[in-house]
Structures are given as C-alpha cells and as structure tokens.
Amino acid sequence: IFEQAIHKGPQVKDSAAPGSSSRLAGTSAAMPLGSAVGLAGLRKAYDGGATKKTGESGGVARPPEEPPEEQEEDADQPEDGHRRPAQAAGSAAAGEAAAGPQDYTALTDEWDDIEARTDEIRAKEEKDRGKIRTQDDILQKPISWHEVHQWLLQEVTIDPAVLEQFKKEEVFETSCISCMGRRRCLSDVPGLDRKLWKDKDLVLFLKATDFDFNQPIHFRMLRTAYMKLTRNKVCPSIGVHWEVMGFQHTDPRTDLNRSGGILNVLHLFFMFAHHFDILKSAYLLAQDSEQNFPLGCVSINITRMVVEYLLEGRLSSLCNSGENGVLDTTCRVYAGGFYHFYSRWRSLKRTIRDTEVTFNEVRRLMEKSPKKLLDGLAKGIEEMKAKKDPGKFEFTDLDFTSRAPQAGAPKAAARPGTATAVPRRLRNYQDAE
C-alpha cells in the first residue's frame, strides 16, 4: 500500500537512486515542503490504519479493494487534460492544507495584522461619522472678497518668466501730435505711473495664469458665484451645469484659459461680491427665452477689452488717480462695462443677433471715455437701491372691519362741501333706492 501511494503521489525523479528504497529516500529529500508533509501524514495514516486492521482481524491488513479517491478524481477529468474549476480550487485548497508549519505561522500573522488594521480603520470611521473632512470643508465653503484679496497680497508671487511674453512682444504706436511713430514693449503701458508698474505686472501675471480646478481659491471663486446665482448646492468640476452660466462647454477651462485665465474669474467674482443685484438680474435675463445670451462668454469678452485698453494706455489716467492701484481699476472698469452691456440689452430688448452691436458700444466707451462707464454703473446702483427703498412704497388704507349699516339705522351725514363720487356701474342701484 505504501509503495502504491508513493507511485500515485507527486514524484520527483532522482537519478542517484534507481531502486525503490533509494527512490523513496530521494523523493523525501527532494520533494518540496508541502509534499514532504503530505508523505509524513500518509505514513501516519497508514500506520494507524494498519494497527487498527491488525487489532480487529488478528492478521496483516490487506489493501483496500476500493480505489483511492485520487483515482476517482483522475477518472472524472476531461479528455483534454484540463481540470474543472471546482477541481482546480479543490487542488489549490489541498495544496494550502499541505503547507508547512512555518507557512501557516506566517500566513496567520499576516491575517492577524490585516484584521487589526481593519478594526482600526473601522473604529476611526465610526468616530468620525457625520464629520466633514478638512479638505472637503475648504472646497465646499463659500469664499469672500476679503479672502480673495488676502490671497492676492500674500500668496500670489509674480513669476518674471511668465511676464517675458509681454516684454518680448513689441507694438508700434503713433502719436496724434507728431507723425513719428515708435516701438515699445507690450508691457510698457503709456502714461502709467512708475510706482504702479508692480500692480500692472500682477494683472498681466493673472491674465497669463491658467484657471485650475486643483487650486482651491480658483475653484471656490467660480463655485461660489455659480451656487449663489443658480441656488444649487452641488457644483462638480465638469458637467453641463456650466452651460447654464453661459460657458460653451461642460469644462469652463476651455473658455477661461483661451484668453484671460484666472483674471476672468477674478473680474466675475468682483462683480458678484460688490454688485450682486446687477449680476443676478443679468443672469436671469440671460435665461430668458427671447433675450438670452451667454453670460460667461460675455464676461470673458469684457475682460479682454479691459486688458487691451490697459496696455494701450487708455486707462492710465484712471489708474493714476485711483487709490487702490491698477487691479482695482480694471475690476471697476470691467463692472462698468458689464453693466452697460446688461443695461443696453435689457432696455432695447436685444437678442443674440445684437451681440456684436452691444460689444461695440461698450468698446467705444471704454476706449474714448472709460469714466462714463463708472458713472453709468454708479447711476445703475442708485436705481437698484431706489427700487428696494421701503420709504418709497405706497400703501392703500383699506378698512376690512367696517360693516354695512343695518336697516332703519340713520345714515351718516356727509361733510359739508364734499361730493360723494358714485361709480357709473352703481348709479342705477342708487336711483332705485
């Protein structure tokens, strides 16, 4: 029986031991740990079975007449030689069961470590249930203009390499007084005070910086404006919801980074933070079935105009007379241009076919007299406040508690010198009485 079991089990050829005894020794020495353990178990099972048989029958135990289970498994195998999945799993399980004590110890330690880590993670999740993570809290929290301004002053560092593109580009300009022209760098703004050049470089740096969702300040500015205007509580990075804001694609970076970069978002957020009523009215008008227009694209075009006329020196007088620098001047001129576009669009009942005409009107004022845009914005703010002033509301004194006089009761005498006006539709009823 022992020899038959050896022949049926996994064998390893040993060229140094041709005999059965030496083959057994060679097999025990050359077989892997799993096979050696299986052979030891086979010896133990054989010895126990032989002793039991001998004790019962009083003689040497004979081999069992039924074939071993391995023969039945071999008989069930398909002709192509491949094992069925269940049988393969059983063989794998049998191989794991035949692993040595060292393998079992290492495997047990590994699973104990996994179980301990799982319990630790589960306990941490239970402890933090209902709490918002810090990073998610920052992204979900609305941002204010004060926080954005602090970010501009403290965290934004101007990279000189980014401004090289403006210094390398040259423009040719002519003066109205003399016919002589001259070339200058695009970044050299005519008429701008030298002390404001650093603030001017900040505007150009923001224009050259792409909008990035991975920057929390970038995403929070655009997300805050979107959620406040649309009254939605969910604002993913990519989706069709950006088309409601007037962007051409589901990814606003396609429009924002084409021209203006993060400066587009900064101007729009300035309008949102300082003139929300005007921006909200413009947003609602942009959703109208007849007077709709792409709000986001209009904002980007106005920002492009502001930067263009800033580099031409059209806004230098405003920047020099202001107290807050070039960036604040560009934001206020942008707000004036945006309000002028909205005002003309609303008052003249314009449609999408009048987009270029309205842009030309804004461009003409920004080039010739940008101060008029600021005056128009101030006038529009006063009109908005007047509409909401409760002191100008007219109330009608209606008395719903008085009752009609009972029959036979004396009528109240009319005041002398006053005539009681009777509506035309009630005169017949008065004559009948």
Side-chain angles (χ1 to χ4, degrees), residues 80-96:
D80 56 358
H82 297 286
R83 290 191 176 186
R84 296 188 179 93
Q87 294 174 351
S91 301
E96 293 178 359

Side-chain angles (χ1 to χ4, degrees), residues 373-414:
L373 291 177
L374 303 183
D375 296 338
L377 175 62
K379 185 178 179 181
I381 295 174
E382 293 298 328
E383 292 178 356
M384 285 283 186
K385 292 181 179 180
K387 291 180 179 180
K388 295 185 177 182
D389 187 7
K392 295 184 178 181
F393 291 163
E394 296 182 0
F395 297 94
T396 304
D397 189 9
L398 300 177
D399 187 8
F400 295 99
T401 59
S402 60
R403 299 180 179 179
Q406 299 179 359
K411 295 182 180 181

Side-chain angles (χ1 to χ4, degrees), residues 109-123:
D109 294 341
E110 182 178 357
W111 280 106
D112 290 342
D113 186 24
I114 294 175
E115 184 180 2
R117 291 169 57 188
T118 304
D119 293 339
E120 181 180 355
I121 295 174
R122 186 182 294 111

Side-chain angles (χ1 to χ4, degrees), residues 32 60 108 175 273 291 334 365 367:
V60 179
T108 303
S175 176
Q291 292 188 263
Y334 162 84
L365 281 178
E367 179 182 5

Side-chain angles (χ1 to χ4, degrees), residues 228-295:
K228 187 69 174 180
L229 290 174
T230 61
R231 302 179 66 86
N232 288 332
K233 296 184 178 180
V234 179
C235 180
S237 303
I238 309 298
V240 296
H241 60 285
W242 292 118
E243 297 179 358
V244 180
M245 282 283 292
F247 295 104
Q248 297 179 354
H249 304 281
T250 57
D251 189 351
R253 292 174 295 184
T254 306
D255 297 325
L256 294 172
N257 296 335
R258 185 181 297 115
S259 171
I262 189 58
L263 186 63
N264 293 319
V265 182
L266 186 66
H267 280 172
L268 181 63
F269 189 77
F270 177 88
M271 191 73 185
F272 164 81
H274 293 83
H275 312 292
F276 176 74
D277 294 336
I278 297 176
L279 183 61
K280 180 69 174 181
S281 301
Y283 168 76
L284 295 177
L285 183 62
Q287 311 303 317
D288 188 76
S289 58
E290 297 181 359
Q291 292 188 263
N292 59 83
F293 62 91
L295 180 67

